[in-house]
Amino acid sequence: MPNSVIQEIVCCMGQPVAGNPTQFMMERAFIAAGLDWRYLTLEVPPDDLAAGVGGLRAMGFKGANFTIPHKVAVIEHLDGLSEAAELMGAVNCVNHVDGKLIGDNTDGKGFVQSLREVLDPAEKRIAILGAGGAARAIAVELGLSGAGHIEIANRTESRGRELVELLNERVKTESSFTLWDSDYSVPEETDVLINGTSIGLGDPDAEVPIDASSLRPELVVADVIFNPPQTRFLQVAAGKGCKTLDGLGMLVNQGVIGFQIWTGIEPDANVMREALEEYLEI
Ligand code: NDP
């Protein structure tokens, strides 16, 4: 469109930037919605983050995603935070409204939106493997959605206990910790089991250490890993009759939520999922 005037620009700031499936997905969604918007992927070193955010303000970008290593550091450069981002202490999505930069976190919201397609988390018992950024975002958002109990199983005790404390004290969701030092046995009353670790990223054969005999067919089993989407963890769960949710759904939904935040309109989620599948050659 050589003669068109770009209406708005959104960007992603991170480092290093080696291809960005989100850019591919967002640009397809803008076209499908008839918006002449652009989504730029920008490599910004940590020492230049303040200048990067200043540039976003000065050039009037409509918003941005922030990724590793900026999700925590960006907070001091913003004008306000959503409740979820404030509780998580991490921002991955910023909206530029009336000259103010407002930070949100769409990772957990994207997960909860995927989960809601099969189950309402209210009052449910959830077990999460891992306590890193993704697990933290999911746990806080599930707590804000009224989950009944969240068990965090993590290899590193201090990190797991810190998340449990956050859930109990600030999110006001009953939570407990299990040290994950051997095959995890899913407690019988659990409704949802989530792999929130990086195990399985880029490795379809990677095993998440769980006791497969504790997987009941009533369980919903979800994975944050989106590449490959059919992880070994999900395949084992499906083999036990569990309903499964892949990480691609979470990635699409966090993109859908970002799109809504920036544009105020509903994107075509199918176009976004197809774009991701094409980009990832699935
Ligand atoms: P972090 O590095 O913050 O956390 C990683 C977590 O995995 C920690 O709890 C770590 O445990 C645990 N872990 C890693 N390896 C092992 C292992 N061998 N055994 C047991 N535990 C292990 O990463 P993030 O939380 O930011 O990301 C995790 C994954 O989520 C990534 O693969 C990322 O791609 C994916 N993700 C997917 C999204 C989506 O939309 N689908 C969105 C965001 C992230 P410990 O604390 O003991 O080190």
Side-chain angles (χ1 to χ4, degrees):
M1 285 185 277
N3 294 322
S4 69
V5 176
I6 297 168
Q7 295 164 314
E8 297 284 3
I9 295 175
V10 177
C11 70
C12 176
M13 289 193 199
Q15 195 204 29
V17 177
N20 186 355
T22 302
Q23 173 177 342
F24 197 74
M25 171 174 76
M26 285 298 181
E27 297 233 301
R28 280 285 174 84
F30 288 149
I31 293 168
L35 294 174
D36 197 3
W37 286 39
R38 296 294 185 279
Y39 186 104
L40 309 180
T41 299
L42 305 174
E43 184 159 337
V44 179
D47 287 348
D48 291 329
L49 181 61
V53 177
L56 192 156
R57 283 185 200 271
M59 289 184 277
F61 284 14
K62 184 64 192 79
N65 282 133
F66 286 85
T67 183
I68 293 167
H70 302 317
K71 288 187 179 188
V72 176
V74 72
I75 290 177
E76 64 173 294
H77 305 294
L78 303 178
D79 303 305
L81 294 179
S82 70
E83 181 188 18
E86 199 268 317
L87 286 166
M88 288 167 205
V91 160
N92 76 335
C93 183
V94 166
N95 196 20
H96 197 178
V97 204
D98 300 330
K100 300 244 182 306
L101 297 179
I102 309 299
D104 203 339
N105 195 309
T106 56
D107 283 338
K109 289 183 174 65
F111 176 84
V112 170
Q113 195 155 308
S114 283
L115 183 61
R116 280 192 194 285
E117 287 163 23
V118 295
L119 166 144
D120 178 353
E123 307 300 329
K124 298 295 188 296
R125 290 188 75 96
I126 320 263
I128 302 179
L129 305 171
R136 193 176 172 92
I138 289 170
V140 167
E141 210 62 62
L142 284 170
L144 294 176
S145 304
H149 182 97
I150 300 178
E151 173 162 286
I152 301 294
N154 201 45
R155 179 181 62 175
T156 304
E157 182 163 357
S158 55
R159 211 173 182 193
R161 287 205 184 276
E162 192 190 314
L163 177 52
V164 165
E165 197 178 305
L166 170 74
L167 293 168
N168 278 322
E169 316 232 319
R170 299 208 49 218
V171 188
K172 306 290 180 209
T173 301
E174 194 184 295
S175 179
S176 56
F177 174 73
T178 295
L179 183 63
W180 190 18
D181 56 359
S182 58
D183 285 355
Y184 179 74
S185 183
V186 186
E188 245 181 59
E189 62 280 13
T190 307
D191 299 295
V192 183
L193 170 68
I194 303 159
N195 174 36
T197 75
S198 41
I199 304 172
L201 180 63
D203 181 358
D205 299 323
E207 273 186 56
V208 175
I210 53 163
D211 172 4
S213 70
S214 67
L215 295 172
R216 295 165 293 108
E218 303 78 38
L219 261 181
V220 174
V221 177
D223 204 327
V224 295
I225 300 299
F226 60 84
N227 193 20
Q230 273 315 304
T231 57
R232 175 148 182 181
F233 175 70
L234 290 185
Q235 283 170 13
V236 168
K240 292 286 179 181
C242 306
K243 199 180 280 278
T244 61
L245 289 173
D246 68 31
L248 214 50
M250 173 179 170
L251 188 62
V252 170
N253 283 328
Q254 64 87 18
V256 165
I257 295 163
F259 191 103
Q260 289 164 336
I261 288 174
W262 298 317
T263 68
I265 61 176
E266 187 75 25
D268 185 335
N270 290 330
V271 164
M272 294 171 83
R273 183 161 180 128
E274 282 164 17
L276 274 182
E277 288 175 349
E278 186 182 327
Y279 184 90
L280 299 170
E281 297 178 349
I282 296 163

